[in-house]
Amino acid sequence: MDPITLLCVAFIVVYGLILGLVAPYVNLTNKNFGSLVPTGLAIVSGSLLWAILTWSGMHYDEPWIWIIVMLGMPAAMYFGGRQIAKSRG
């Protein structure tokens, strides 16, 4: 594994942590799940999106991969959190 890949994954983790810190202020918390669930959803979805897009041929230095990942992470966090709250509610 090259250092650039590790830096890309580290960036996704840091961005997911920032999204997790913002989650309570945009009503993404619920009494049915803990405060780390939105962070986990963002990190896992971002890592999966990045891996799938890299595998499908997009290079990590192209802006399109990062636009898709950085817009997909909050969307997955929002819809995943709503789905978890609905299933536990």
Side-chain angles (χ1 to χ4, degrees):
M1 186 177 270
D2 62 349
I4 299 297
T5 302
L6 292 175
L7 284 174
C8 291
V9 173
F11 180 78
I12 291 171
V13 169
V14 168
Y15 184 61
L17 291 172
I18 292 170
L19 286 175
L21 291 173
V22 174
Y25 300 106
V26 291
N27 283 338
L28 289 178
T29 57
N30 195 324
K31 63 180 179 171
N32 294 330
F33 56 82
S35 62
L36 294 178
V37 170
T39 304
L41 288 170
I43 292 172
V44 168
S45 66
S47 298
L48 285 175
L49 270 173
W50 183 80
I52 290 168
L53 291 173
T54 303
W55 179 73
S56 68
M58 293 181 102
H59 203 257
Y60 53 77
D61 62 354
E62 295 176 357
W64 292 110
I65 190 170
W66 292 109
I67 290 171
I68 293 168
V69 169
M70 293 183 82
L71 292 177
M73 286 172 70
M77 186 174 71
Y78 176 74
F79 291 115
R82 284 184 47 194
Q83 186 65 30
I84 291 172
K86 193 184 305 181
S87 67
R88 291 186 180 181

